[in-house]
């Protein structure tokens, strides 16, 4: 959504927050990284990938997120259409077929949709995805986050008035680095 000099993106937030709060993508958990989640060998062109994991995966947890491959000479990333629930195994369905075959044990990663379950970040450990332009009084709801243009982030202490945002423990900006 584009409104004058700002761009907004729809995100789902889990809690109420005041205007100016910087919201972040949910933290990446270990089970989403290569080595803790195995992929079965798959041919090129296939859209459904079989994964095994020791962690429970809920249905569509990875929907609209990404599946990435980083092995050999290939570094590919695909958008995830859906995934089925599973406790020891599950399948991930991609929008597009694989350009290259996967071998068992290929290095890969899964990332949920960064705009789903937006959280208040803590100390530069999270990826900022936008700023709330208004106060949200109900958690568990979809909100518009400002992602571009002049914004009014919630500040803590003295900050430099430009540059990259560094988050505080409450999702507020603790300093900005001029670039």
């Amino acid at each position: 959504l584009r409104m004058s000099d700002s761009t907004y993106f729809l995100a789902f937030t889990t809690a109420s927050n005041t205007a100016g709060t910087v919201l972040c993508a949910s933290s990446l958990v270990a089970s989403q990284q290569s080595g803790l989640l195995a992929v079965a060998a798959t041919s090129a062109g296939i859209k459904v990938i079989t994964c095994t994991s020791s962690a429970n995966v809920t249905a569509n947890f990875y929907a609209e997120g990404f599946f990435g491959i980083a092995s050999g000479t290939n570094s590919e990333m695909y958008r995830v259409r859906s995934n089925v629930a599973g406790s020891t195994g599950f399948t991930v369905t991609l929008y597009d077929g694989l350009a290259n075959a996967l071998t068992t044990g290929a290095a890969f990663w899964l990332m949920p949709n960064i705009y789903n379950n937006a959280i208040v970040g803590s100390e530069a450990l999270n990826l900022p995805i936008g700023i709330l332009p208004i106060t949200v009084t109900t958690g568990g709801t979809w909100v518009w986050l400002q992602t571009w243009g002049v914004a009014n982030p919630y500040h803590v202490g003295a900050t430099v008035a430009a540059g990259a945002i560094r988050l505080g423990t409450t999702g507020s900006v603790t300093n900005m680095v001029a670039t």
Side-chain angles (χ1 to χ4, degrees):
L1 175 66
R2 183 84 190 244
M3 296 174 64
S4 67
D5 292 339
S6 299
T7 300
Y8 295 85
F9 202 94
L10 192 61
F12 185 82
T13 182
T14 57
S16 60
N17 290 289
T18 57
T21 300
V22 178
L23 292 184
C24 297
S26 294
S27 298
L28 186 68
V29 296
S31 63
Q32 298 162 341
Q33 300 171 21
S34 182
L36 300 174
L37 199 63
V39 173
T42 305
S43 302
I46 297 297
K47 293 183 180 181
V48 178
I49 299 166
T50 302
C51 304
T52 56
S53 172
S54 59
N56 289 332
V57 176
T58 58
N60 293 321
F61 179 78
Y62 295 107
E64 302 305 321
F66 294 96
F67 173 79
I69 305 162
S71 62
T73 58
N74 300 324
S75 180
E76 303 168 13
M77 187 167 79
Y78 299 91
R79 188 74 171 217
V80 175
R81 179 182 295 266
S82 63
N83 69 272
V84 297
S87 58
T88 58
F90 62 98
T91 58
V92 173
T93 302
L94 307 175
Y95 280 102
D96 300 307
L98 295 171
N100 297 289
L102 289 179
T103 57
T104 300
F108 75 98
W109 50 265
L110 276 166
M111 181 69 172
N113 178 347
I114 64 170
Y115 293 100
N116 194 16
N117 295 322
I119 60 170
V120 174
S122 62
E123 295 299 330
L125 297 176
N126 298 105
L127 171 68
I129 58 173
I131 297 172
L132 283 172
I134 62 170
T135 297
V136 176
T137 57
T138 305
T141 189
W142 289 92
V143 298
W144 288 106
L145 291 180
Q146 185 174 350
T147 59
W148 184 85
V150 177
N152 187 25
Y154 183 72
H155 294 262
V156 172
T159 60
V160 179
I165 294 175
R166 178 177 170 269
L167 298 175
T169 57
T170 60
S172 55
V173 178
T174 57
N175 71 10
M176 300 175 111
V177 180
T179 55

